[in-house]
Amino acid sequence: METGRLIAHYRVLERLGSGAMGEVYRALDMRLEREVALKILPQRFAENPTRVARFEVEAKLLASLNHPNIATIYEIREVEGETLLVLELVEGEPLDRRLGRAGLLPVNEVLRIGRQVASALEAAHEKGIVHRDLKPANVMLGRKGTAKVLDFGIAQGPGERLEDYTAAWEADPESPEGPGTDDIAATMAGRLTRAGVLLGTAPYMSPEQVNGAEVDKRSDIWSFGCLIFELLTGRPPFEGESWASTLVAVLENDPDWDRLPDDVPPAFVKVLKRCLRKDADARLHDIADVRIEIDELAEADDAHPGGGRGVRALTGVLALVVAAVGLFALDVGGIRQRLVGVQGATFETIASIVPLPAEVSVGDRVPGGLFREQGAEGSDAFLSDAVPGTLAEQLRRVPGLVTRYPPTGVELASIDGDLGELAELYGAGAFLLPVVTAARDSLYVGIELQDAGTRSTLWREEFAGRRGEYLTLMRRVADNVRQVLRPRSASLLRGGPVGSTNDTAVLELWRGRYHSERYRSYHEEVDFELARSAFARALESDPRLADAAAEMALLYGIRVPESGMSTDVWAEMESWAERARSIDPSAGLGWSVPAGFEAFYRREGVQTTRLVHALRGASLAPDRAVAQNGLGAVLADYSLSLGAESFSAALALRPLLASARTNLVALLTSAGRSQEALASIEAARRIQFAQAWAVEMTEGSIRSMRGEIEEARPIVERLASRVEAGALAPVALLELQLEFALASGNDREADVHLATIVGFLETPETPPQLAWNLVVSASSALAVAGRLDSSFQVLQLGLERGLVVPYDYLELNPRLDALRLDPRYAGIAGPSRARFEELRQVLEEARLEGELPPYLESPWAALSRQLESS
């Protein structure tokens, strides 16, 4: 099926794989704006009534199961002659892939997963359903650790018998041949389906399945034992070199129990052995016994906390929720709250805090005030960024307390969730850890204040409110944090609200930001569509919400490179920015976004207007890193040092903003400030991001220019291997290759690279941003090597294309000392000097208008003095 195809109101995004009875695709539900899984009956089966009937049986079986550890079915329908199931899309990775990465899993994680799988099977067995194909590939492990049992394609429902499948498989010309087949790829990894003989996957089939006999829930218990054994040891308990020998092992061999890790609890080993008894009558009869055993192990851990196995913290769906959000003795209306920290404690010595991305789950209330966890649904996942972001907006009003802009979930993932690293990068004194449970129209929020150094819990409190009163709930939460950190400050419940008062609009704004950030990092089309729709709904709910229009402009700006610099995308970006400014002239991003993107891509336009807009945006949005980042892109055309100041300001606000880190490293290097650049490169190494190669290339440039050939060589070789593998465009490496060749004395190779660079500069189709980079890097490398004629040639070619290099690059970069002594220098420096005077006039006017960001005042004065005396 083609990507992009629209089936009913589902847009196909990508193929995920094949299930027992069909092919599975990721799709976007255009009506409800959520991702789903489409399971479609292949065309070759459409003429087989028994196959179609089985497809419908699978749908009915899933519909009868409502369990947090079983993927949900939304609907079954026929469209254009095709039958499809619409299923919950379970994000994460299947256990077989997890095993492929890890080899085997820690015992406590296996117990947690086992408890959830056992609970899922228990629910199925209570309905008379036998899965019949339980294996690692059919268990998905979500990002929050929730296990989901998938693929009920050959499940046996109440009253069904083996012969009910005969007609379906006999009519399939592509079904395996049965025991005569010796194709390991098709049998060991895939499912064996032979009418009247085998249904299942060889290493996980029970002896009764192998014998072709009728099966019941005890067959699932056997498969469960095989799955757990494999998770603990890294290999199935029954293996052979062929399909036939694997089946023989199932019938005749015993598992090698000595392969189990020493820290598996003996009681659990005993239960596992009962799962794998070959005689079904002697086997464990009820999977609930496994769940109970794991729960009892958790209780034993509670009674003996020094035992060290950590079972309790990782087992049980209810235990997970209790550990995460506590026992909510709360009124659904949100009137009551319960403090579980130190009553009356205050922590006024904490100077700065960083709210962290929230743990989000959804669920329903059950007796006792607990929640039955359903796992974080896509529709509410955005709360992970929304709650800490909203709290930060409120807490910035507290005097004497520095509240940092929270890292997004994507940013936290870029450092593998390392809070020690985060504390260092942010200079945090304490963290705020929110945990959110969304239950229908209610929100339950737990907040923990944690010492950033020791990670000890200082204070904890829990709140409840209605989704429709989101802002009121967040103000209450923030005010309680204020009381703990700055008890003598004014209440946040008094005074005007921050931003829009429309709860729906604010939530949709945060939903859009969440997906926009994911789109920036992962480039998934679905995130673009979800962000665009959310921003549109925010404006529909509150037409005066300028931030939503500005964020829409930013979204289209992010899309620019994905669109191939489409003029339509540029027009959308500018149109939304203009709408933001018309709604509210003080909307900083409305000024910053177009200016920053136009400068970064060297798009033709009025330079002065772009600079004025970028300065205005940065001054109006002093707490938005994106605004400072945009100003840095504009200033880089005029001054490398001032551009670096803006990128540094962006990183002070968001230390994990990868684009600002890359830009800062590049400007410091171009300015000849190699020591500062290397320090920033060291910080960038801690972060995983797509453009990390650019930072590595910059380090290679610095090492080459400093004559550190042996340090530069492995960097050049690593990046060259990426080019050979097709992961990097050859042109991306031109700058470094020229610098390395010049530094290592390889004149012939340097001439080749120089000729290529000149060719690019002489070609009108070369993108302006690439040409600018080539001019700056090549001119300095050639000057250092004493090849002044070539250096001037490159600079002149840049001028002919309208690429005026910054005046401080020419005047203050020590690498260009030789150029400044040459009579040709005046002709190159003239246009740069004129642009610098233009910068001086705009900055002075901005200062008088109060639109010069404070962090630029001192550097601008120092730069002016330097250039006047040079």
Side-chain angles (χ1 to χ4, degrees):
M1 182 176 298
E2 295 180 359
T3 300
R5 178 183 172 186
L6 190 65
I7 303 179
H9 55 277
Y10 300 102
R11 177 78 66 188
V12 176
L13 301 177
E14 63 174 322
R15 186 178 187 273
L16 296 177
S18 298
M21 286 288 296
E23 297 171 340
V24 185
Y25 296 84
R26 178 192 296 266
L28 177 63
D29 184 335
M30 305 296 285
R31 290 182 181 173
L32 298 180
E33 297 187 336
R34 66 181 176 185
E35 287 189 86
V36 298
L38 293 185
K39 187 170 184 179
I40 300 176
L41 189 65
Q43 192 63 43
R44 71 177 190 271
F45 297 157
E47 304 302 322
N48 183 342
T50 309
R51 282 279 194 172
V52 174
R54 257 311 299 173
F55 207 58
E56 294 175 352
V57 166
E58 180 182 359
K60 291 175 182 177
L61 293 180
L62 282 172
S64 71
L65 297 172
N66 180 18
H67 192 275
N69 300 115
I70 298 176
T72 303
I73 183 170
Y74 297 137
E75 68 169 326
I76 180 172
R77 64 186 302 164
E78 186 173 331
V79 181
E80 300 174 1
E82 292 181 308
T83 305
L84 59 94
L85 303 184
V86 184
L87 305 165
E88 172 190 4
L89 179 66
V90 182
E91 296 283 7
E93 64 178 343
L95 283 179
D96 62 338
R97 190 178 304 163
R98 175 67 189 279
L99 276 172
R101 289 193 301 105
L104 51 85
L105 303 187
V107 172
N108 55 3
E109 185 175 2
V110 174
L111 289 172
R112 176 178 60 79
I113 293 170
R115 202 277 183 192
Q116 296 180 73
V117 173
S119 182
L121 291 177
E122 183 181 359
H125 294 170
E126 286 176 353
K127 296 283 188 177
I129 299 169
V130 182
H131 189 282
R132 294 204 294 196
D133 198 24
L134 185 67
K135 57 185 178 181
N138 283 341
V139 179
M140 186 71 78
L141 191 61
R143 294 170 181 167
K144 302 290 186 180
T146 301
K148 295 265 189 177
V149 177
L150 311 177
D151 201 346
F152 281 71
I154 61 170
Q156 175 179 292
E160 287 189 298
R161 301 177 61 81
L162 184 62
E163 53 263 28
D164 295 337
Y165 298 84
T166 301
W169 268 264
E170 283 180 343
D172 178 10
E174 298 186 21
S175 63
E177 294 296 329
T181 298
D182 197 8
D183 182 349
I184 296 177
T187 58
M188 295 294 287
R191 178 181 292 107
L192 303 176
T193 51
R194 175 65 174 170
V197 181
L198 297 173
L199 285 173
T201 304
Y204 312 96
M205 292 170 64
S206 65
E208 55 269 31
Q209 279 179 289
V210 172
N211 287 322
E214 291 293 340
V215 301
D216 57 24
K217 64 182 182 180
R218 292 171 297 178
S219 185
D220 277 351
I221 293 173
W222 171 280
S223 300
F224 174 85
C226 293
L227 180 144
I228 296 299
F229 187 95
E230 183 171 356
L231 296 184
L232 289 169
T233 67
R235 302 297 306 171
F238 307 102
E239 295 182 280
E241 295 181 357
S242 68
W243 166 77
S245 61
T246 299
L247 297 184
V248 169
V250 169
L251 293 174
E252 298 182 358
N253 296 352
D254 289 325
D256 183 356
W257 297 109
D258 291 338
R259 287 164 51 192
L260 291 177
D262 293 338
D263 55 343
V264 179
F268 187 71
V269 174
K270 183 178 179 181
V271 169
L272 192 58
K273 287 182 176 180
R274 291 185 61 197
C275 290
L276 291 176
R277 288 181 179 170
K278 298 188 187 298
D279 184 351
D281 290 334
R283 196 178 304 152
L284 197 70
H285 278 218
D286 201 323
I287 195 68
D289 292 337
V290 177
R291 174 185 55 77
I292 292 169
E293 180 60 40
I294 295 175
D295 287 343
E296 288 179 352
L297 287 171
E299 292 175 7
D301 246 21
D302 246 2
H304 304 284
R309 284 198 299 269
V311 176
R312 188 194 187 289
L314 292 169
T315 56
V317 177
L318 292 180
L320 278 169
V321 180
V322 173
V325 284
L327 293 168
F328 279 96
L330 298 167
D331 175 69
V332 176
I335 303 302
R336 292 183 290 139
Q337 53 186 292
R338 183 168 65 87
L339 182 68
V340 296
V342 181
Q343 294 282 356
T346 62
F347 303 94
E348 296 183 69
T349 58
I350 294 175
S352 65
I353 60 171
V354 179
L356 298 181
E359 291 285 334
V360 180
S361 62
V362 298
D364 297 319
R365 294 292 291 273
V366 297
L370 298 176
F371 291 87
R372 180 181 295 112
E373 186 184 34
Q374 303 291 331
E377 289 186 351
S379 60
D380 283 318
F382 77 98
L383 291 170
S384 64
D385 287 351
V387 169
T390 309
L391 289 176
E393 289 174 349
Q394 298 288 339
L395 289 169
R396 286 195 191 102
R397 301 160 57 194
V398 179
L401 177 67
V402 176
T403 302
R404 303 296 305 275
Y405 191 92
T408 65
V410 170
E411 288 177 331
L412 190 58
S414 74
I415 56 171
D416 292 327
D418 187 336
L419 294 187
E421 186 71 33
L422 192 75
E424 183 177 344
L425 287 169
Y426 275 74
F431 293 132
L432 281 181
L433 284 73
V435 178
V436 179
T437 298
R440 297 177 184 170
D441 64 340
S442 299
L443 292 176
Y444 302 87
V445 180
I447 293 290
E448 182 175 307
L449 180 68
Q450 190 180 91
D451 184 280
T454 64
R455 300 292 308 281
S456 59
T457 299
L458 305 176
W459 167 86
R460 187 187 305 133
E461 195 162 347
E462 295 153 354
F463 306 83
R466 298 199 178 278
R467 190 185 294 261
E469 298 171 351
Y470 171 76
L471 290 170
T472 299
L473 174 61
M474 289 299 100
R475 291 181 75 189
R476 285 178 46 231
V477 175
D479 194 58
N480 275 263
V481 175
R482 174 202 62 80
Q483 290 178 38
V484 171
L485 295 173
R486 297 294 184 270
R488 288 183 287 275
S489 62
S491 170
L492 298 179
L493 301 179
R494 297 195 295 269
V498 176
S500 174
T501 59
N502 185 311
D503 294 279
T504 299
V506 169
L507 284 170
E508 291 301 328
L509 175 64
W510 278 109
R511 188 193 305 274
R513 286 171 172 167
Y514 171 83
H515 287 290
S516 180
E517 186 70 17
R518 288 178 59 83
Y519 180 63
R520 180 203 298 271
S521 298
Y522 305 134
H523 311 291
E524 297 284 351
E525 182 66 16
V526 64
D527 283 309
F528 175 84
E529 292 295 336
L530 291 172
R532 184 185 59 79
S533 300
F535 292 140
R537 287 194 299 271
L539 281 166
E540 183 179 350
S541 295
D542 183 357
R544 303 302 302 167
L545 187 57
D547 279 351
E551 295 282 2
M552 188 81 90
L554 177 59
L555 177 67
Y556 276 99
I558 296 169
R559 192 174 182 79
V560 165
E562 301 289 328
S563 69
M565 307 294 286
S566 164
T567 54
D568 290 340
V569 175
W570 276 107
E572 287 282 358
M573 176 185 69
E574 291 168 338
S575 174
W576 284 108
E578 173 59 33
R579 180 170 175 180
R581 297 195 299 268
S582 66
I583 292 173
D584 181 5
S586 67
L589 286 188
W591 299 100
S592 294
V593 168
F597 279 107
E598 288 173 3
F600 185 79
Y601 292 106
R602 299 296 190 279
R603 195 163 184 256
E604 293 182 5
V606 181
Q607 291 273 7
T608 304
T609 301
R610 186 180 298 165
L611 177 58
V612 169
H613 286 185
L615 285 164
R616 184 171 300 160
S619 64
L620 290 171
D623 59 344
R624 293 302 303 272
V626 172
Q628 312 314 317
N629 200 34
L631 176 58
V634 177
L635 283 173
D637 271 346
Y638 296 86
S639 163
L640 296 182
S641 62
L642 292 186
E645 292 293 339
S646 286
F647 291 136
S648 295
L651 288 171
L653 293 167
R654 286 179 68 179
L656 296 173
L657 185 61
S659 59
R661 184 72 61 186
T662 305
N663 294 335
L664 176 62
V665 167
L667 260 61
L668 291 174
T669 303
S670 298
R673 296 158 61 179
S674 58
Q675 282 302 119
E676 295 172 73
L678 287 172
S680 192
I681 287 170
E682 188 61 35
R685 282 201 186 96
R686 310 174 189 177
I687 308 168
Q688 304 167 23
F689 58 100
Q691 299 300 314
W693 64 267
V695 174
E696 187 175 22
M697 187 178 74
T698 305
E699 181 182 2
S701 297
I702 294 172
R703 302 296 183 190
S704 297
M705 300 286 273
R706 290 167 56 157
E708 299 170 357
I709 303 303
E710 294 310 310
E711 290 81 358
R713 190 184 308 280
I715 297 175
V716 176
E717 292 173 349
R718 279 197 301 271
L719 292 173
S721 67
R722 293 196 63 183
V723 171
E724 292 172 5
L728 200 59
V731 68
L733 215 54
L734 267 180
E735 309 164 34
L736 176 57
Q737 288 172 326
L738 174 64
E739 291 159 342
F740 184 73
L742 289 169
S744 56
N746 191 335
D747 291 337
R748 184 175 179 179
E749 187 175 332
D751 288 340
V752 172
H753 295 313
L754 176 59
T756 305
I757 290 172
V758 168
F760 272 111
L761 295 177
E762 291 177 337
T763 303
E765 290 76 21
T766 301
Q769 71 271 23
L770 171 59
W772 193 89
N773 290 339
L774 292 174
V775 168
V776 172
S777 58
S779 61
S780 61
L782 291 163
V784 169
R787 300 178 64 165
L788 302 189
D789 290 347
S790 296
S791 183
F792 278 117
Q793 179 191 16
V794 167
L795 288 167
Q796 185 60 43
L797 285 171
L799 281 177
E800 291 171 5
R801 293 201 52 169
L803 300 172
V804 180
V805 296
Y807 190 47
D808 58 353
Y809 166 71
L810 293 175
E811 285 288 294
L812 303 179
N813 190 335
R815 296 173 181 169
L816 303 183
D817 287 345
L819 290 186
R820 289 191 286 273
L821 300 175
D822 193 291
R824 292 171 287 183
Y825 177 75
I828 296 295
S832 297
R833 175 74 189 190
R835 178 165 289 181
F836 181 78
E837 292 303 324
E838 180 184 301
L839 173 68
R840 184 193 303 278
Q841 181 179 348
V842 172
L843 291 186
E844 288 303 318
E845 289 177 1
R847 185 178 60 80
L848 293 173
E849 295 291 331
E851 293 181 348
L852 182 65
Y855 64 79
L856 284 179
E857 291 182 3
S858 179
W860 165 238
L863 177 63
S864 296
R865 289 192 298 270
Q866 274 185 290
L867 290 174
E868 287 168 1
S869 62
S870 64

